């Protein structure tokens, strides 16, 4: 069992007490089907060193192995999908880095075991890039990115949506987390009063049919092979 506390100071300063494995597993069991759906999106707003995200990734990768281990291109693609749908925000830089390393380690161990001679470095680079983009140092209360000391910067937390468009091509769209979290009409209207711009159309498209506000991406990228996503930067 891993230690649940790093230091008394960190507990006092940041409420840093990690969840024990038994509780993590029991809580994931409550949403067992979602944890086993490869493309199911999870965001943990105070993810620490990734106890929950590691368990979720392990469960998704077990499904990838069971369904796709006989055909490596499919196995690679579905493990990409599994990693790309896991997101975390963490205040402390060392925890966020530990979380990325841990998720990478879980993915790589499985990758080596399943793909053997068919492993490739582009796939490794892609998964590292995904984790760099999906596990962010931020303040889950202010929804701003933080610096190495955990202080808010002036940059919003921004997440990438990764979606396969055809074959091996994946499309990246970047969204501000504060916009995603205010996606209903009332919140969207309210948000526009406080936003940098008074014009809420900068952040949402209004869908008259469903009378819903749909968050707009702040940036879209051209579709690219999932093994070369870093080239779009
Ligand atoms: C109780 S621990 C839980 C960690 C992890 N979720 C787990 O269950 O093992 C809370 C975590 O939230 C982080 N944290 C505290 N305030 C935060 C904030 N405003 N935004 C993001 N993370 C925060 C701490 O650094 C710590 O890693």
């Amino acid at each position: 069992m891993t230690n649940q506390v790093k230091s008394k100071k960190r507990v006092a300063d940041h409420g840093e007490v990690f969840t024990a494995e038994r509780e993590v597993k029991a809580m994931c069991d409550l949403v067992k089907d979602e944890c086993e759906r490869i493309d199911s999106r999870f965001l943990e707003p105070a993810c620490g060193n990734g106890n929950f995200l590691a368990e979720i990734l392990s469960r998704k990768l077990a499904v990838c192995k069971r369904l796709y281990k006989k055909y490596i291109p499919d196995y690679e693609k579905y493990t990409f999908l599994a990693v790309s749908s896991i997101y975390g925000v963490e205040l402390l830089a060392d925890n966020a880095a530990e979380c990325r390393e841990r998720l990478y380690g879980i993915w790589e161990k499985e990758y080596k075991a399943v793909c053997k001679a068919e492993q490739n470095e582009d796939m490794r680079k892609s998964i590292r890039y995904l984790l760099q983009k999906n596990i962010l140092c931020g303040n889950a209360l202010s929804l701003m990115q933080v610096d190495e000391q955990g202080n808010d910067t002036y940059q919003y937390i921004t997440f990438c949506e990764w979606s396969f468009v055809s074959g091996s091509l994946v499309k990246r769209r970047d969204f501000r987390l504060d916009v995603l979290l205010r996606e209903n009409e009332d919140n969207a209207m309210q948000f526009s009063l406080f936003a940098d711009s008074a014009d809420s159309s900068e952040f949402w498209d209004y869908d008259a049919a469903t009378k819903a506000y749909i968050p707009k991406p702040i940036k879209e990228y051209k579709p690219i092979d999932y093994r070369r996503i870093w080239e779009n930067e």
Side-chain angles (χ1 to χ4, degrees), residues 66-82:
R66 181 159 50 81
L67 299 181
Y68 302 111
K69 67 172 182 283
K70 293 214 167 94
Y71 185 58
I72 297 305
D74 277 354
Y75 177 79
E76 281 190 335
K77 181 176 165 178
Y78 282 101
T79 68
F80 177 98
L81 197 53

Side-chain angles (χ1 to χ4, degrees), residues 14-19 44-48 51-52 89-92 95 138-141:
H14 305 293
E16 188 195 71
V17 179
F18 298 117
T19 308
E44 199 188 348
C47 67
N51 286 325
F52 283 94
V89 174
E90 165 58 39
L91 192 70
L92 302 178
N95 283 342
N139 183 332
L141 299 177

Side-chain angles (χ1 to χ4, degrees), residues 120-136:
N120 71 81
E121 284 314 306
D122 280 350
M123 191 64 198
R124 287 193 165 82
K125 208 166 158 185
S126 249
I127 297 295
R128 282 223 180 262
Y129 186 81
L130 272 184
L131 292 169
Q132 203 59 43
K133 293 291 173 194
N134 282 18
I135 309 296
L136 295 181

Side-chain angles (χ1 to χ4, degrees), residues 16-32:
E16 188 195 71
V17 179
F18 298 117
T19 308
E21 194 180 349
R22 192 183 60 170
E23 278 72 40
V24 170
K25 286 189 185 301
M27 287 172 76
C28 288
D29 285 346
L30 296 173
V31 285
K32 184 172 179 293

Side-chain angles (χ1 to χ4, degrees), residues 213-232:
Y213 282 88
I214 299 164
K216 273 188 188 176
I218 54 168
K219 192 163 179 187
E220 297 196 44
Y221 296 76
K222 64 176 175 14
I224 192 165
D225 189 290
Y226 67 90
R227 286 152 296 205
R228 309 198 68 79
I229 49 170
W230 67 89
E231 286 182 355
N232 248 346

Side-chain angles (χ1 to χ4, degrees), residues 72 76 108 111-113 115-121 123-124:
I72 297 305
E76 281 190 335
E108 201 193 27
Y111 184 59
K112 274 184 183 161
C115 298
K116 300 188 176 84
E118 291 178 69
Q119 299 172 53
N120 71 81
E121 284 314 306
M123 191 64 198
R124 287 193 165 82

